[in-house]
Amino acid sequence: MARNILHINASARREGSISRSLSQAVVDKISSVDTKVVARDIGTSPLPILTEAWVGANFTPDDDRSAEQRETLALSDRLIAEIEAADTLVLGVPVYNFGVPAAFKAWIDLVARARKTFKYTENGPVGLLEGKKAYVVIASGGTPSGSEIDFATPYVRHVLGFLGIHDVSFVAADQLMAAGDEKIAAAKETIESFAA
Ligand SMILES: Cc1cc2nc3c(=O)[nH]c(=O)nc-3n(C[C@H](O)[C@H](O)[C@H](O)COP(=O)(O)O)c2cc1C
């Protein structure tokens, strides 16, 4: 199947990163000759956190924004355009301190924009990034995936759903310090089951 993949990595590590190698394995598994991949490394090229100027620009109606406010939102616009252009997201996300890395949260803060990626309705917020599939590799050293101290997996599931991305497959490479080889083998088996 022809795909446009957006591949995001949030590990601070370039060397030895399990979430990077497994998310690459997902990309390789689901790719075919006509697949296009855009890679965005948010782990080693950190994104800025939100500022007062950014929040003000975002709240200002599009038509009323100054040139400076448009510039303030330019990176956010670009990151959203990357998602919009993709039909498939592949995310490599380590567990840091029981949740997602700050780098990943910074990306979410920049792409969760009212009227662009979600809207408010009488029935509550509705995501606007519809029709996309996401694969999420979560790597952890000790935190069991899906346990009550795993705040990363439910957070990623919820926030993707909030943006309209409901078709999400998780690959858990958890508790790597205890049984790394087995866990990585099991994760690779899960990845093998994904359709190209
Ligand atoms: C700053 C930091 C915080 C971490 N916090 C946790 C944690 O709360 N729970 C856990 O199970 N592992 C934790 N780890 C271990 C990582 O989740 C684990 O090493 C994982 O493989 C990192 O992903 P990577 O291999 O893609 O870099 C932490 C690692 C770092 C560097």
Side-chain angles (χ1 to χ4, degrees), residues 11 13 16-20 94-98 139-143 176:
S11 173
R13 300 199 289 178
S17 162
I18 304 300
S19 62
R20 279 178 193 275
V95 174
Y96 283 175
N97 302 310
F98 310 101
S140 85
T143 302
L176 291 169

Side-chain angles (χ1 to χ4, degrees), residues 46-51 54 58 72-73 75-80 83 103-113 116-117:
L47 298 166
I49 60 172
L50 304 188
T51 60
W54 191 96
N58 188 34
T72 300
L73 295 175
L75 174 61
S76 163
D77 290 341
R78 198 151 63 241
L79 295 172
I80 291 169
I83 304 176
F104 186 79
K105 180 61 164 52
W107 180 74
I108 291 292
D109 286 348
L110 286 164
V111 302
R113 295 251 312 264
K116 270 185 91 72
T117 56

